[in-house]
């Protein structure tokens, strides 16, 4: 099965970002991808944290959700919308939500980011909890590919990557990590953590990212990539908008899991 990790350099307007995302989704479909995954904050990288509040949607309807459903249907692929802001339990927060759609344009899964990024090094300071309300549960879905094979797809977002217990609980064939890593933390740990999650779960990892200089002045690491269950990087893009295409081999994964049945040994 071919998959696509879509890298973006999202700006400060939803309309412009959806236009860019649409073009990249069509590129992925033309390359034969059956699953395409957009990065975290694909629809908006605002000038300030509170900009998310102005474009939040009610779950089940809205311009961003309609765009995702339509793109999946028109391109006849499975599509995961990295993250978009959905209503939370109060007016001062949003949920940072990843939504999955089938080729029929039907929503099949929702994941609200659990682990919220907080970082300060004297030069940069981030605290997602100021505007984002944390999710509380894991999410996965079953994707039947064009050959009739079923893949369990586990959902996560960005900072979740530092919490390995989440991925073991998902018990998935493919782990999704749509992200917007900062340049500094990405340079230090992005590839290392992605390969670790792949190896310890003997799973494919599809990690689309924001990558470049944004209108709001932020710089993101990029290096969107797909990693195989043995930790091999199958493809990546360093910076700028684009699509990383990779082929997932179910037989190879099954062989590796048979040789090294690590998933049978779980601490409960």
């Amino acid at each position: 099965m071919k998959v696509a990790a879509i890298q973006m350099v999202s700006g400060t307007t939803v309309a412009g970002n959806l236009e860019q995302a649409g073009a990249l989704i069509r590129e992925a479909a033309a390359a034969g991808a059956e699953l395409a995954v957009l990065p975290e904050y694909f629809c908006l990288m605002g000038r300030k944290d509170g900009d998310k509040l102005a474009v939040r949607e009610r779950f089940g309807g809205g311009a961003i959700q309609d765009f995702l459903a339509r793109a999946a249907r028109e391109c006849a692929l499975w599509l995961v919308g990295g993250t978009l802001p959905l209503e939370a339990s109060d007016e001062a927060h949003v949920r940072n939500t990843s939504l999955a759609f089938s080729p029929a344009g039907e929503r099949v899964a929702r994941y609200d980011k659990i682990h919220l990024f907080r970082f300060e090094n004297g030069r940069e300071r981030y605290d997602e909890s100021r505007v984002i309300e944390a999710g509380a549960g894991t999410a996965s879905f079953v994707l039947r590919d064009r050959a009739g094979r079923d893949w369990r797809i586990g959902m996560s977002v960005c900072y979740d990557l530092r919490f390995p217990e989440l991925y073991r609980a998902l018990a998935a064939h493919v782990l999704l990590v749509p992200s917007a890593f900062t340049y500094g933390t990405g340079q230090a740990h992005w590839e290392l953590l992605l390969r670790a999650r792949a190896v310890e779960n003997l799973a494919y990892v599809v990690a689309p990212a924001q990558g470049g200089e944004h209108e709001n002045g932020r710089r993101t690491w990029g290096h969107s990539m797909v990693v195989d269950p043995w930790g091999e990087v199958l493809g990546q893009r360093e910076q700028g908008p684009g699509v990383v295409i990779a082929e997932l081999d179910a037989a190879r994964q099954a062989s590796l899991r048979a040789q090294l049945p690590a998933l049978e040994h779980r601490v409960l």
Side-chain angles (χ1 to χ4, degrees):
M1 175 176 69
K2 283 187 179 181
V3 300
I6 295 177
Q7 185 159 288
M8 295 180 63
V9 187
S10 295
T12 58
T13 66
V14 170
N17 294 326
L18 296 189
E19 182 178 357
Q20 180 186 166
L24 292 168
I25 294 166
R26 291 190 292 274
E27 181 180 335
E34 297 187 49
L35 168 66
V37 190
L38 292 161
E40 185 179 28
Y41 301 136
F42 79 93
C43 58
L44 185 73
M45 291 281 281
R47 297 192 183 280
K48 56 185 186 301
D49 287 345
D51 290 351
K52 300 178 184 67
L53 301 174
V55 301
R56 63 186 161 195
E57 297 183 353
R58 178 170 298 183
F59 180 51
I64 303 167
Q65 293 171 82
D66 291 347
F67 162 81
L68 292 169
R70 183 172 60 253
R73 184 173 58 251
E74 291 178 353
C75 292
L77 48 61
W78 296 81
L79 177 63
V80 176
T83 64
L84 64 150
L86 293 186
E87 290 181 343
S89 62
D90 63 63
E91 292 298 311
H93 294 82
V94 298
R95 290 293 182 103
N96 193 19
T97 301
S98 185
L99 296 177
F101 292 83
S102 75
E106 299 172 342
R107 187 183 62 252
V108 296
R110 169 182 175 170
Y111 171 68
D112 294 340
K113 185 179 182 180
I114 294 174
H115 302 100
L116 302 184
F117 183 52
R118 184 178 297 169
F119 177 74
E120 185 169 2
N121 65 359
R123 300 182 307 277
E124 298 174 282
R125 183 175 185 274
Y126 301 95
D127 185 356
E128 290 185 324
S129 66
R130 289 180 296 184
V131 175
I132 296 173
E133 179 180 74
T138 61
S140 62
F141 62 97
V142 175
L143 181 162
R144 176 158 291 182
D145 67 19
R146 293 166 189 162
R149 184 183 299 106
D150 287 340
W151 301 78
R152 179 164 295 280
I153 312 296
M155 302 175 74
S156 71
V157 174
C158 200
Y159 193 53
D160 287 331
L161 187 58
R162 295 185 181 273
F163 300 85
E165 62 275 14
L166 170 67
Y167 298 92
R168 185 52 59 95
L170 288 169
H173 299 105
V174 182
L175 301 169
L176 307 183
V177 194
S179 299
F181 257 56
T182 67
Y183 192 89
T185 58
Q187 187 175 39
H189 297 144
W190 171 247
E191 182 176 332
L192 173 67
L193 289 168
L194 290 173
R195 295 177 70 189
R197 298 297 86 84
V199 168
E200 66 196 9
N201 293 287
L202 292 174
Y204 285 98
V205 173
V206 180
Q210 296 282 350
E213 298 276 357
H214 299 264
E215 284 182 81
N216 62 7
R218 182 172 171 179
R219 187 182 184 189
T220 47
W221 175 241
H223 291 76
S224 296
M225 65 179 67
V226 179
V227 184
D228 88 348
W230 206 242
E232 179 183 353
V233 177
L234 300 180
Q236 71 172 299
R237 182 179 184 86
E238 292 188 2
Q239 292 275 286
V243 178
V244 178
I245 299 289
E247 185 93 33
L248 309 191
D249 185 339
R252 170 171 166 75
Q253 183 176 44
S255 174
L256 289 171
R257 288 187 170 188
Q259 294 173 54
L260 188 67
L263 298 184
E264 293 180 4
H265 304 282
R266 301 189 183 195
V267 177
L268 301 178

